Amino acid sequence: MVELTSIAGIMALVVFVELTFGLFGDLSGQLASLWDGSAKYGFALAMAGWIGLCVYCLRRRADVRAERQARESAEQNYAYQKICDPVTGLPNRRGFEMVLDQRIKERPCGCYSVLSVEICNLDTVASVHGTEIATNLEIAISDRLIELVHKGDFLARGNHASFYFYCPASALDESRFRVDSLIEAVLHLSSSGIEANGMRLQTFVTFGVINIDGETCRGPEWDAKNVVRRVDFAALRARQRGHEAIEIFDWGMESDMHQRAIVEGSLGNAIRTGQIVPYFQPLIDLRSRRVTGMEILARWQHPSQGTIPPSSFIPIAEDIGVLRALTLTVLRQACAAARDWPKDIRLALNISPTDLRDSSIVDRFTEILEETGMTASRIEVEITENALVEEAGSISAAIQALKGKGVSISIDDFGTGYSSLHHLRILPFDKLKIDQSFIKDMATNKESRVIVQAIIAMAQSLGLKTTAEGVEIGVNDEILQEFGCTVGQGFLYAKPLAAADVPAFLECYETEVSAITRDVA
């Protein structure tokens, strides 16, 4: 319409100029005197010009319309992508929150439950079988979950490998019953395996639940975003407990959630500014009674919260993706502190499988050792047995690379997982570290003592050293020596030491340890 109006306006202007001034008539006369064919072809040329102008305007109008439609389509696709998961086609977390907010507004006093289902081993599937199979597994899982949806329910995809169920009801008992039936159905799916690319893959699941009574849980602090945040916290607790764990959000978790928020908010700055520092617990050779090494333990003195134990901040660091930075920062500080210690003192450091899945960790290790002047032979990397069981395929490359650099590799918390002799045979381990749960009651518990003896004998047959952690009384020290354990660690020898206290300990420990171990409890 704009183009046609413009053409009409131009034509009206031309007519007005001709009628008023005769400009075009004069121009036509002059042209006729110069070119005989102007009278014959002038009209045709003029008409061709007008037609061409009209065609151009119409074509331009069509192009503008197509561009507008393409822009509107792109905007719609963008809006769709913002609320939908591209893999499963389900609404994503944002879409779930939008629907949940709408349901809350429609039934402000209604009862409902939200169930979070997390697939714990999806990363392992991707590492072992490839991302394509992991993606197909996600799609297969979502298809099976869709089959569980009842009228009134709402299913969505959460962050990473989680799914949300919204289950409304007329009473809380009814929604709880609905959640229980969903959990039972999901557990059945998990235990039977799910088909993907012609393979039946086992999945490990955990559950977080929140039950909402609209009469008491009202107000802006109970909008969709905060409800999902609470069920996520319950799901986190379940994940920390392990396979098939179920956590229901309660008021006791509220303060824990706020404490976690404080830790999350200050953890990054604590790593950057060096608030988190290494402490060192001595590793004692049980035959020579000499200090053979130090285990690096992270300690955080928060400026307002006081001492925050590693059991609190290390899992949070892993959850929010800063554990690698924390590990490398503490390693750098530890290497710098140990540079002037006796050269036979090794440093042992526990590494998360999350970090080992990225083989570039080896390069960062090398950079830190070169920067601090430490040799790789003085470093011992500890990997928990449970991590070995769950992540053996995805971390083997990093283990092999570290071993190739001269770093020693040990299995931490041995005896608490289900690793097989196959793992001990195919991966280049140097040491087994026996979990302290077996060591602490070894003097009074025959079963623990037998297990410790069996682990030490197996390690010896495989040519591996052993470390016993949690040695607190002299009688356990004697039992370990009798069994042939290589290294002892625990409060019997020393509590974790600040870097500044290590040199003094190294000077006088032999006399102190000898006196303590003579006093058999």
Side-chain angles (χ1 to χ4, degrees):
M1 181 60 70
V2 174
E3 291 87 351
L4 295 176
T5 302
S6 300
I7 293 172
I10 293 172
M11 292 179 67
L13 178 62
V14 170
V15 171
F16 172 76
V17 170
E18 175 61 23
L19 293 175
T20 306
F21 304 104
L23 177 62
F24 296 104
D26 294 341
L27 183 61
S28 178
Q30 293 179 6
L31 185 61
S33 64
L34 296 174
W35 178 37
D36 293 339
S38 63
K40 181 177 180 180
Y41 300 110
F43 179 76
L45 291 173
M47 288 301 297
W50 283 112
I51 292 172
L53 179 61
C54 291
V55 170
Y56 169 78
C57 291
L58 292 173
R59 176 61 181 274
R60 176 60 183 160
R61 177 176 176 78
D63 290 343
V64 170
R65 184 185 297 110
E67 290 175 5
R68 185 185 301 115
Q69 291 174 344
R71 184 173 65 251
E72 291 173 353
S73 176
E75 291 172 351
Q76 290 173 355
N77 288 336
Y78 177 69
Y80 174 82
Q81 291 170 3
K82 282 170 47 175
I83 63 172
C84 287
D85 174 51
V87 175
T88 64
L90 292 172
N92 59 18
R93 179 190 173 110
R94 181 171 182 170
F96 181 73
E97 291 177 353
M98 291 173 61
V99 172
L100 183 55
D101 261 332
Q102 184 62 35
R103 300 286 178 92
I104 292 172
K105 290 176 182 177
E106 292 172 355
R107 301 175 64 245
C109 298
C111 299
Y112 64 92
S113 296
V114 176
L115 169 67
S116 170
V117 179
E118 182 164 1
I119 314 301
C120 302
N121 62 326
L122 193 60
D123 284 339
T124 302
V125 172
S127 299
V128 175
H129 300 287
T131 55
E132 180 182 353
I133 291 179
T135 299
N136 291 337
L137 177 61
E138 293 178 67
I139 296 170
I141 291 171
S142 67
D143 291 343
R144 300 297 296 275
L145 294 180
I146 289 171
E147 297 173 1
L148 303 178
V149 174
H150 286 184
K151 183 178 180 181
D153 292 349
F154 187 76
L155 173 66
R157 173 73 182 272
N159 294 336
H160 190 48
S162 62
F163 297 84
Y164 297 117
F165 280 95
Y166 163 78
C167 305
S170 57
L172 272 183
D173 287 343
E174 182 182 338
S175 65
R176 289 188 182 116
F177 178 80
R178 173 73 184 124
V179 165
D180 288 344
S181 63
L182 281 171
I183 290 175
E184 184 178 350
V186 172
L187 287 174
H188 176 71
L189 289 176
S190 172
S191 62
S192 59
I194 296 177
E195 290 280 350
N197 289 65
M199 295 185 294
R200 184 167 290 275
L201 298 172
Q202 192 76 23
T203 56
F204 304 119
V205 293
T206 56
F207 305 92
V209 182
I210 187 168
N211 299 307
I212 301 295
D213 178 0
E215 292 293 337
T216 55
C217 301
R218 300 179 64 179
E221 70 275 15
W222 288 98
D223 62 2
K225 188 178 292 295
N226 283 303
V227 168
V228 173
R229 183 169 57 88
R230 288 176 169 94
V231 78
D232 281 347
F233 190 76
L236 171 65
R237 285 287 188 85
R239 183 167 68 247
Q240 291 171 346
R241 285 178 50 204
H243 180 37
E244 296 187 359
I246 303 170
E247 283 285 344
I248 301 175
F249 188 88
D250 58 29
W251 291 108
M253 291 186 187
E254 192 79 20
S255 60
D256 293 342
M257 190 170 61
H258 290 309
Q259 179 64 28
R260 178 185 171 91
I262 293 173
V263 173
E264 282 187 6
S266 53
L267 189 53
N269 182 65
I271 294 171
R272 289 191 298 271
T273 58
Q275 288 181 24
I276 301 176
V277 299
Y279 268 55
F280 303 88
Q281 187 163 37
L283 303 172
I284 307 298
D285 186 299
L286 295 180
R287 179 173 297 178
S288 68
R289 316 307 295 178
R290 295 184 59 82
V291 176
T292 62
M294 298 279 179
E295 181 175 6
I296 304 170
L297 304 169
R299 294 292 183 265
W300 183 10
Q301 189 68 28
H302 194 281
S304 62
Q305 301 296 311
T307 301
I308 300 178
S311 58
S312 295
F313 67 81
I314 288 179
I316 295 176
E318 184 165 16
D319 288 338
I320 65 176
V322 298
L323 181 57
R324 180 177 178 179
L326 170 60
T327 300
L328 294 174
T329 298
V330 171
L331 176 65
R332 180 179 286 106
Q333 295 179 69
C335 288
R339 186 166 41 203
D340 298 326
W341 298 348
K343 302 305 180 185
D344 58 346
I345 301 295
R346 302 163 68 92
L347 296 179
L349 178 68
N350 194 288
I351 302 293
S352 164
T354 302
D355 292 335
L356 290 173
R357 281 200 296 265
D358 183 358
S359 58
S360 66
I361 189 74
V362 179
D363 297 329
R364 298 300 307 277
F365 252 68
T366 303
E367 291 173 8
I368 290 174
L369 296 181
E370 291 176 351
E371 174 189 325
T372 57
M374 286 285 287
T375 59
S377 60
R378 293 182 63 188
I379 303 296
E380 179 179 302
V381 167
E382 298 178 351
I383 304 163
T384 62
E385 186 181 16
N386 283 328
L388 172 64
V389 174
E390 297 173 5
E391 309 280 353
S394 59
I395 67 178
S396 60
I399 292 175
Q400 297 282 3
L402 286 170
K403 182 67 176 178
K405 295 286 185 180
V407 174
S408 296
I409 310 294
S410 69
I411 304 179
D412 195 13
D413 299 335
F414 191 82
T416 59
Y418 301 94
S419 60
S420 67
L421 294 176
H422 174 68
H423 292 125
L424 299 179
R425 182 174 61 85
I426 65 172
L427 294 174
F429 294 108
D430 300 284
K431 181 188 291 185
L432 303 182
K433 192 170 186 181
I434 308 170
D435 187 70
Q436 61 182 325
S437 61
F438 300 108
I439 303 299
K440 287 187 174 181
D441 67 345
M442 187 173 55
T444 57
N445 188 310
K446 180 180 178 182
E447 287 76 15
S448 293
R449 191 161 59 251
V450 169
I451 290 172
V452 171
Q453 185 176 18
I455 292 174
I456 294 172
M458 180 187 67
Q460 289 174 340
S461 66
L462 293 172
L464 303 177
K465 297 179 180 179
T466 49
T467 295
E469 58 180 344
V471 183
E472 297 182 354
I473 58 176
V475 65
N476 285 345
D477 175 271
E478 287 192 345
I479 293 172
L480 291 168
Q481 289 186 68
E482 179 186 342
F483 289 165
C485 184
T486 314
V487 175
Q489 176 186 353
F491 287 179
L492 175 65
Y493 313 111
K495 293 182 179 180
L497 305 166
D501 298 330
V502 171
F505 172 81
L506 292 175
E507 287 183 10
C508 65
Y509 92 96
E510 290 184 2
T511 303
E512 294 179 359
V513 170
S514 297
I516 292 172
T517 53
R518 280 196 302 268
D519 181 20
V520 179

